[in-house]
């Protein structure tokens, strides 16, 4: 198996034989001029970006956007690599703080380190190209993901966008800079679903930010409130998980319930 190193070393522009440019001194293998471009206190995003940039690791992280913990063997199959290679990749993601591990007996399961990691991946997805569809199987997968999917721990896809639109249209959510405001009628509707709004407000994360859906290009509900809504939809089996990672299926009961409680009109 060939090994691709994450770091490449290119010659400095205009330099011969990898010598430093005039006016710089080589210190510990790096040109002092380049070193001085770093600003103290700035975030060092390069190591995190390098972790995500590898195709196999990116595939694993994307699979974990499901919100559930997956075993190393499952992630190896998704990424198309051997078990030892997957273990090496996961060790690097663990060291980099992008995933955490849950141990159950002899088994180890991996999940994203938190909503900030998921949000970063979703933002990258918005500005990235789409994987080409080359088979009927891939076409089916793409259709299911577009219809309804979990975006880490909240609902995305056409169903998620329609729910958000209905909440705003019916005056249950009010869009505002930095997030959405939940009205009294919105709290009543969510209570009917089974969401404890006051408990959700105490969560240590943003309450109700909108989240731009990278497929629909329109917002769905994120944050602590979005997570609570998806939790209740799954508990009631208004949404059920399928065999395609992250894909969710809206049931007949879910279609009726979302229409009755929230006024969702376009879920046929």
């Amino acid at each position: 198996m060939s090994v691709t190193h994450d770091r490449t070393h290119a010659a400095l522009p205009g330099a011969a034989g990898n010598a430093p440019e005039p006016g710089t001194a080589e210190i510990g293998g790096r040109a002092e001029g380049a070193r001085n471009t770093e600003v103290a206190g700035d975030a060092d995003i390069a190591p995190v970006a390098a972790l995500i940039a590898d195709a196999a690791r990116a595939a694993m992280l994307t699979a974990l956007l499901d919100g559930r913990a997956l075993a190393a063997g499952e992630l190896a199959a998704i990424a198309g690599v051997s078990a030892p290679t997957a273990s090496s990749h996961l060790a690097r993601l663990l060291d980099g703080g992008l995933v955490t591990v849950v141990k159950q007996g002899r088994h180890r399961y991996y999940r994203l380190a938190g909503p900030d990691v998921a949000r970063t991946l979703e933002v990258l997805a918005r500005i990235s190209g789409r994987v080409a569809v080359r088979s009927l199987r891939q076409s089916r997968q793409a259709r299911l993901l577009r219809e309804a999917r979990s975006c880490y721990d909240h609902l995305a896809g056409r169903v998620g966008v329609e729910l958000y639109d209905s909440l705003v249209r019916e005056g249950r959510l009010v869009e505002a800079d930095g997030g959405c405001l939940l009205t009294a009628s919105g709290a009543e509707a969510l209570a009917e679903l089974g969401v404890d709004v006051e408990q959700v407000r105490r969560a240590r994360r943003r309450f109700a930010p909108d989240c731009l859906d990278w497929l629909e290009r329109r917002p769905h509900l994120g944050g602590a409130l979005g997570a609570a809504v998806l939790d209740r939809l799954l508990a009631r089996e208004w949404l059920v998980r399928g065999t395609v990672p992250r894909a969710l299926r809206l049931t007949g009961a879910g279609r009726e319930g979302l229409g009755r409680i929230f006024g969702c009109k376009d879920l046929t």
Side-chain angles (χ1 to χ4, degrees):
M1 175 178 290
S2 62
V3 178
T4 302
H5 296 285
D6 292 316
R7 297 179 181 175
T8 59
H9 300 278
L12 292 170
N18 288 348
E21 290 184 345
T24 66
E26 193 75 18
I27 299 178
R30 293 180 65 186
E32 185 178 13
R35 186 176 187 175
N36 288 339
T37 62
E38 296 178 353
V39 178
D42 271 0
D44 187 6
I45 66 174
V48 174
L51 284 174
I52 299 173
D54 179 88
R57 292 194 292 270
M60 292 177 180
L61 291 170
T62 301
L64 293 174
L65 273 172
D66 186 285
R68 293 180 292 177
L70 297 177
E74 296 174 288
L75 291 168
I78 289 169
V81 297
S82 67
T85 299
S87 294
S88 176
H89 282 311
L90 288 167
R92 295 190 62 180
L93 291 172
L94 191 61
D95 289 342
L98 297 184
V99 302
T100 59
V101 64
V102 179
K103 297 180 181 178
Q104 291 186 353
R106 295 179 298 171
H107 302 287
R108 292 161 62 92
Y109 298 91
Y110 297 84
R111 67 191 329 152
L112 293 185
D116 284 346
V117 178
R119 188 159 50 247
T120 298
L121 296 173
E122 283 287 324
V123 170
L124 287 173
R126 294 176 207 159
I127 60 176
S128 303
R130 300 287 170 262
V131 176
V133 174
R134 295 188 175 91
S135 68
L136 288 175
R137 178 173 172 271
Q138 289 178 324
S139 177
R140 175 180 174 273
Q141 290 175 338
R143 177 176 55 80
L144 291 173
L145 288 173
R146 184 154 203 159
E147 181 67 10
R149 68 184 184 281
S150 54
C151 175
Y152 186 52
D153 60 0
H154 54 271
L155 175 61
R158 189 179 72 89
V159 177
V161 167
E162 170 58 23
L163 175 57
Y164 178 90
D165 285 348
S166 297
L167 288 166
V168 173
R169 184 177 60 244
E170 299 294 325
R172 290 169 173 147
L173 273 183
V174 177
E175 294 176 306
D177 291 339
C180 299
L181 302 176
L182 183 67
T183 66
S185 65
E188 290 176 4
L190 290 172
E192 186 175 349
L193 180 64
V195 174
D196 185 337
V197 173
E198 291 310 311
Q199 182 180 5
V200 174
R201 288 189 189 279
R202 293 192 292 271
R204 301 179 70 175
R205 61 188 290 193
R206 293 178 65 190
F207 176 64
D210 59 353
C211 181
L212 184 64
D213 195 289
W214 62 272
L215 284 176
E216 294 294 309
R217 302 294 177 176
R218 293 155 56 200
H220 57 251
L221 183 62
L225 188 60
V229 168
L230 178 56
D231 183 67
R232 292 306 306 156
L233 293 174
L234 290 169
R236 287 194 170 199
E237 295 189 344
W238 288 8
L239 288 169
V240 295
R241 299 187 186 275
T243 56
V244 176
R246 292 188 293 145
L248 302 171
R249 180 175 60 84
L250 181 66
T251 64
R255 188 173 292 106
E256 186 278 329
L258 290 174
R260 175 175 52 82
I261 297 176
F262 299 108
C264 297
K265 301 176 181 178
D266 299 321
L267 295 180
T268 56

